[in-house]
Amino acid sequence: MITTEIKNKLIEIVGVSYVFTDDETLNEYGRDHTEDLVFPPSIIVKPASTQEVSAVMKVAFEYAIPVVPIGARTGLSGGILAIHKGIGLSLERLNQIIKIDEQNLQVITQPGVITEVLQNAVAEKGLMYPVDPSSKGSCFIGGNIAENAGGARAVKYGVTKDYVLNLEVVLPNGEIIWTGANTLKNSTGYNLTQLMVGSEGTLGVVTKIVLKLIPAVQHNVLLWVPFFKMEQAAAAVSAIFRAGIVPSALEFMERDAILWTSKFVEVPDVYLKHENEAHLLIEVDGNYPNVLMSEAEKILSVVEAYEIDEVLFADTTDQKNTLWKLRRNIAEAVKQNTVYKEEDTVVPRFELPKLLIGIKAIGDKYGFKSICYGHAGDGNLHVNIVKLDMSDELWQTEVPKGVNEIFQLTKSLNGTISGEHGIGLVQKEFMPIMFSDIELNLMYQIKQIFDPKNIMNPGKIFPSTYQ
Amino acid sequence: MITTEIKNKLIEIVGVSYVFTDDETLNEYGRDHTEDLVFPPSIIVKPASTQEVSAVMKVAFEYAIPVVPIGARTGLSGGILAIHKGIGLSLERLNQIIKIDEQNLQVITQPGVITEVLQNAVAEKGLMYPVDPSSKGSCFIGGNIAENAGGARAVKYGVTKDYVLNLEVVLPNGEIIWTGANTLKNSTGYNLTQLMVGSEGTLGVVTKIVLKLIPAVQHNVLLWVPFFKMEQAAAAVSAIFRAGIVPSALEFMERDAILWTSKFVEVPDVYLKHENEAHLLIEVDGNYPNVLMSEAEKILSVVEAYEIDEVLFADTTDQKNTLWKLRRNIAEAVKQNTVYKEEDTVVPRFELPKLLIGIKAIGDKYGFKSICYGHAGDGNLHVNIVKLDMSDELWQTEVPKGVNEIFQLTKSLNGTISGEHGIGLVQKEFMPIMFSDIELNLMYQIKQIFDPKNIMNPGKIFPSTYQ
């Protein structure tokens, strides 16, 4: 319960203009991009600095009020849903890029900067932040850290965790720490930085971020490869790496993913043919165009061993943008079409065909259809289970059984249940598939060290037996 | 105290041939490559499997006996020194590469495999494990994980932590866990894998390791660049990256480092001139020789802006080997010449000249000489403080003050006190320079979760106020 006394303390910290209790705002901040779930907090507070975040946390700690750190609300696992009410702590005003360090190829930023804004700012200096989530145009870099976001270029450049050097974190009791140093290497005590990355706002509030950058890459080549059989598309993925090539993107899309999306994105007919069950979108990048052409040819010689239709080279920026837009809008297109649930399976990439075939078989068994697409180069397959005309009853009873089986399959293939979306609210009951009680207990005890009053985004990651 | 009862229990687990209490063996396992320190354990036990490690840990846990996991004893921070006696747990019999997974570009290995043996085994399959510590010919991959080892190629390829996907760990109470999944991406709970990497044997015993591999790189070009002034060599380092080039190695060596080493390694005169204060050894690698030549030329045009002597291209494998041998043998050469202490400073790379100048000034102030060299591309400078004819008294009183100042300087340059050697025994009292009490307490509480009886390599990492 947020009493008037508490509310006044919060107003004193951030100012009356930055505390909200109206239903409209609460509802707005009570949902992200996870299905149609809405869990509004009791109050929204928008601090403007690390010190204000710290002061808010001290109040929350004193009164044992749950706090949910809120970014751009583009999450896909319900990480920001305030299931226990409390304070919704929006980081949107911590939106400054503090310093682009061209000498050291680093950037220091606040968490509320949109990822693409950050990318563009460093690109102007000839630098590159290559982590590239599909939501980059709207997500915050802070949210990327919370979920350890990946995206299309992870296959060559790695995920968020691979770029985070150091973090300023406000602990649940309001204390402020730094997790490491601004160095490329660090063997100085336990890696608190990597413990924070992907902890989904359950250990503290990240208020400053030091990221590694790389010199900007100048050129890329994009291939659009249609396969008659989707399993063959999945199988071609690992063959490309085994040929010694590391593409900068290797995306898989099954037919319906692109057909549905083509309703929203204008796509020339040549890119879409009904007889093709799946496509791979393959990019290679680098600074030497000749090398890229030679790598593209190697890729061609690999995929030609499968039953493919005509491969298209995207030559112009327009063509490239069209294809990427097609890829990036799949999630939104599914959402517009039907009620759905999204899973974020990941396996060692050679196991992709088994995963894909298994998912389809599980769908058949339980009576649901799925749209599969994702970062195949990483073995990361997004599975959108779509309701369409399925009855509410079957949707409620059969889908969870199917999801459970999909995750069991993922585990049996040496994979895991989330590659880049996080566990958050919607996957937490499945954690025992991946981790033993011993392992989950270790994680939960770590949470208790950071957050002895369990106020920091409670009810996330851990199955409900833990709360 | 290891009683006869305990000894018999250990013999029952691993067999009588694999338990040792003779002085010679205890002394042998009581030292690593850290200065001339010797701390023998009370007993050496050599298990052959995860199950045996688990059984040994159960005995240790029951009787609250300290356990030090021991690898190849090549560590440089005293991580394996049994300062509290107890069981020395040698992992040398867990020496099998379990599976090279060519389909998924992964390897599953036991910890007691020599890093270079692992590299050669995967190279035979056209794959590459690029982490390349100077001690690769003798160190164990398990020790690399314990210390988060780096090495010459980290500048392009990253350090050990960037290749570890999943670990099997025996906890101090003998329970066996897996920390993650065999996937390139993972957003499934807290990152226990990265918590283990670099934890220096203080949280558990790593018994299986899943590493990411990359397709083997075919070619490289090596440049030997002599500088008249050492600060200019240090300054050239960041300029190379700012020109958009990421070398696969970028090593700095001051004059005495190579002159001393040339007594042990046969080096053609052309590589060594007294008038050159420092050298950079610069490698670029890739699959296209033309590209490498073009990058080498770009590097040349960058370094030519500094006062350099004649640059040498190493064309032949022999020439390359000579230069690498020269670089890799510096530590050993210093050791042969004099008593010394080695520090492992790391800063953002543009700060290298300030670090170098500062270290020399601190040496002048306290009356000691230092030999500096290291992985300049990472900002990682090894500082060998050499005793030579310094009196024992000054060595005891002045050097610690100087080290403290060097670390304060490192911190002020946004760096840290260990880039790749770890904290272990010899740097633990300096941890408060890097971390506040709050931060150290968080780390120590994490240790307590894993190791409630403080039996797992006690007395390491944390300053003595913690024990």
Side-chain angles (χ1 to χ4, degrees), chain A residues 122-123 126-128 214-218 287, chain B residues 244:
Chain A
V122 305
L127 299 172
M128 183 167 163
I214 58 174
V217 172
Q218 309 296 329
N287 294 326

Side-chain angles (χ1 to χ4, degrees), chain B residues 61-72:
Chain B
F61 191 76
E62 185 185 345
Y63 294 93
I65 305 163
V67 177
V68 184
I70 298 177

Side-chain angles (χ1 to χ4, degrees), chain A residues 103-104 147 178 185 187-188 190 202 242 288 294 348-350 375 378 380 416 418-420 439 443 449, chain B residues 103-104 147 178 185 187-188 190 202 242 288 294 348-350 375 378 380 416 418 420 439 443 449:
Chain A
Q103 311 287 12
N104 287 305
E147 304 302 327
W178 278 94
K185 296 165 135 177
S187 289
T188 316
Y190 301 153
T202 63
R242 275 145 54 209
Y288 299 87
S294 142
R349 67 170 84 89
F350 184 72
H375 314 301
D378 304 312
N380 186 196
T416 184
S418 177
E420 57 176 25
E439 291 152 0
M443 290 187 196
I449 287 171
Chain B
Q103 310 287 13
N104 287 306
E147 304 301 327
W178 279 93
K185 296 165 134 177
S187 290
T188 314
Y190 302 152
T202 64
R242 276 144 55 209
Y288 300 88
S294 143
R349 67 171 84 88
F350 184 71
H375 314 300
D378 304 314
N380 188 194
T416 185
S418 178
E420 57 177 25
E439 292 152 359
M443 290 186 195
I449 288 172

